[in-house]
């Protein structure tokens, strides 16, 4: 759905939302419209593109209010009959009905009521009830209890455990380079973890992971960064970290010259081995904010582990 058709649909949906009591604003990706009422928040995507619809359906949006954080309703406007289990779907029939109700409501100065839809599931999450009773994946063990995580966060609220995918990498570099009488070594051996959802990093080694069953009623998030892309990021970071600038002194007669050279390791001398490991995270949802605590290290996370959770 592009061009004039999409613009017309957006204008009509905006009219419908205003008739339902929402303050409406146009938005950029990943949705087209957002609306806020006294007790509700709503986001709207207008699209027939299956990939765009799928991303919207699996994401979670939250509205930050003075009295806390509230999950938003999601509405998908599409004319292809596409399915979106976590959204309220409006097609031609729904648009026609709401548009008519909005027109009549405008005459009499009253509001219309929109049908409620399903509650969106956490972005990329695969609920695993009873996962501690036999299902096992390679993950870092839970070393911080739910109670201690709440104490660390300094907040009170609902708590849930989520397992976030990381690409645990072992990156090695060999070789050296010599310019005049300066020799720079590129020997390095490093371990770490790259978040397979938002690209952040943390210290970890494969030897720290276990493959025992996880706690019950936890959530396992799906990787969004492919292994090949993660490897490219890891290698690029290694190259940047090992790159050095050297100043070389030359004397010619009574004149002294200084020359600067940038020396980089050869990509062929760098290897990276990646293993998917899940990191446990406690998410504490308080009235005023959401705090995430790494259940392995006890660290408070400054960037949301799951980029699909958006607060606006």
């Amino acid at each position: 759905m592009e061009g004039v058709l999409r613009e017309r649909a957006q204008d009509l949906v905006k009219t419908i939302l205003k008739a339902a009591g929402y303050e409406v604003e146009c938005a950029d990706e990943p949705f087209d419209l957002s609306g806020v009422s006294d007790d509700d928040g709503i986001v709207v995507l207008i699209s027939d593109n299956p990939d765009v619809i799928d991303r919207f359906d699996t994401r979670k949006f939250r509205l930050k209010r003075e009295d806390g954080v509230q999950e938003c309703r999601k509405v998908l406007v599409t004319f292809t009959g596409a399915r979106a289990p976590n959204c309220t779907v409006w097609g031609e029939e729904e648009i026609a009905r709401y548009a008519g109700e909005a027109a009549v409501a405008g005459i009499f100065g009253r509001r219309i009521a929109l049908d409620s839809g399903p509650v969106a599931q956490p972005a990329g999450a695969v609920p695993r009830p009873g996962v501690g009773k036999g299902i096992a994946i390679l993950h870092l063990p839970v070393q911080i209890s739910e109670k201690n995580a709440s104490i660390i966060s300094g907040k009170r609220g609902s708590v849930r455990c989520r397992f976030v995918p990381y690409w645990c990498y072992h990156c090695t570099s060999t070789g050296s380079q010599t310019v005049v009488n300066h020799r720079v070594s590129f020997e390095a051996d490093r371990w770490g973890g790259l978040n397979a959802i938002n690209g952040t990093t943390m210290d970890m080694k494969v030897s720290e992971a276990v493959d025992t069953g996880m706690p019950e009623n936890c959530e396992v998030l799906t990787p969004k960064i492919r292994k090949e892309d993660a490897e490219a990021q890891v290698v690029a970071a290694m190259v940047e970290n090992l790159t050095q600038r050297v100043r070389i002194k030359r004397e010619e007669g009574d004149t002294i010259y200084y020359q600067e050279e940038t020396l980089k390791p050869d990509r062929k001398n760098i290897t990276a081995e990646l293993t998917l490991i899940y990191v446990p995270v406690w998410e504490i949802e308080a009235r005023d904010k959401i705090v995430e605590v790494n259940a392995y290290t006890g660290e408070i996370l400054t960037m949301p582990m799951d980029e699909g959770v958006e607060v606006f």
Side-chain angles (χ1 to χ4, degrees):
M1 189 191 312
E2 299 295 338
V4 176
L5 180 59
R6 185 171 185 174
E7 292 177 5
R8 289 174 179 171
Q10 181 170 314
D11 290 340
L12 194 52
V13 172
K14 187 186 301 184
T15 300
I16 292 171
L17 293 181
K18 288 182 177 180
Y22 290 93
E23 294 182 9
V24 185
E25 292 185 358
C26 295
D28 296 322
E29 295 183 357
F31 51 82
D32 294 286
L33 297 169
S34 65
V36 179
S37 67
D38 294 337
D39 56 2
D40 190 19
I42 194 169
V43 292
V44 180
L45 173 69
I46 303 171
S47 179
D48 291 332
N49 186 307
D51 293 332
V52 174
I53 291 173
D54 183 63
R55 287 195 295 269
F56 180 71
D57 184 56
T58 57
R59 300 189 79 167
K60 187 174 184 179
F61 303 92
R62 289 173 176 162
L63 173 65
K64 188 173 183 181
R65 295 178 178 272
E66 294 182 357
D67 58 348
V69 178
Q70 179 184 32
E71 184 174 342
C72 295
R73 299 166 59 186
K74 297 192 296 184
V75 171
L76 167 66
V77 178
T78 181
F79 303 132
T80 61
R83 294 178 56 82
N86 298 316
C87 302
T88 299
V89 180
W90 290 357
E92 291 186 40
E93 182 179 341
E94 289 78 13
I95 291 292
R97 174 163 61 90
Y98 286 133
E101 292 180 5
V104 174
I107 296 174
F108 295 100
R110 60 194 184 203
R111 291 184 180 180
I112 65 172
L114 303 179
D115 295 336
S116 60
V119 177
Q121 296 297 317
V126 181
R128 304 283 184 90
V131 71
K133 298 182 179 179
I135 299 177
I137 59 175
L138 197 61
H139 66 281
L140 298 183
V142 176
Q143 298 189 145
I144 307 298
S145 67
E146 177 180 338
K147 180 179 179 181
N148 287 340
S150 296
I151 294 174
I152 292 171
S153 71
K155 299 292 182 180
R156 291 186 177 182
S158 59
V159 182
R160 61 174 173 169
C161 184
R162 317 173 80 193
F163 279 77
V164 180
Y166 268 72
W167 290 110
C168 180
Y169 61 84
H170 181 209
C171 198
T172 59
S173 175
T174 59
S176 63
Q177 190 171 344
T178 302
V179 177
V180 189
N181 60 344
H182 288 264
R183 178 182 179 274
V184 175
S185 173
F186 298 124
E187 300 285 335
D189 188 317
R190 293 173 186 171
W191 285 90
L194 177 75
N195 188 309
I197 292 179
N198 63 22
T200 57
T201 59
M202 68 173 286
D203 294 332
M204 70 164 67
K205 291 184 177 181
V206 169
S207 58
E208 299 171 338
V210 296
D211 59 0
T212 56
M214 297 177 295
E216 295 186 18
N217 300 320
C218 65
E219 295 171 352
V220 180
L221 304 185
T222 302
K224 294 184 178 179
I225 298 177
R226 298 181 305 168
K227 185 176 183 179
E228 308 84 67
D229 296 333
E231 181 178 348
Q233 290 185 44
V234 168
V235 171
M238 176 70 95
V239 170
E240 181 179 358
N241 189 266
L242 294 177
T243 297
Q244 295 187 37
R245 291 181 64 85
V246 296
R247 176 174 290 185
I248 302 166
K249 179 181 177 182
R250 298 176 183 269
E251 295 186 20
E252 295 182 8
D254 295 332
T255 305
I256 298 177
Y257 298 92
Y258 288 95
Q259 174 184 343
E260 284 195 346
E261 295 280 349
T262 300
L263 306 182
K264 295 183 178 183
D266 191 330
R267 172 64 181 86
K268 295 183 296 184
N269 296 329
I270 298 177
T271 60
E273 299 177 358
L274 280 72
T275 304
L276 191 62
I277 293 178
Y278 289 80
V279 177
V281 173
W282 290 111
E283 183 184 273
I284 300 93
E285 185 171 345
R287 289 172 57 86
D288 58 338
K289 68 183 299 185
I290 297 172
V291 180
E292 292 179 325
V293 177
N294 187 314
Y296 178 66
T297 64
E299 174 190 5
I300 294 180
L301 305 179
T302 57
M303 180 175 180
M305 278 290 211
D306 179 7
E307 67 172 9
V309 177
E310 301 189 6
V311 179
F312 66 94

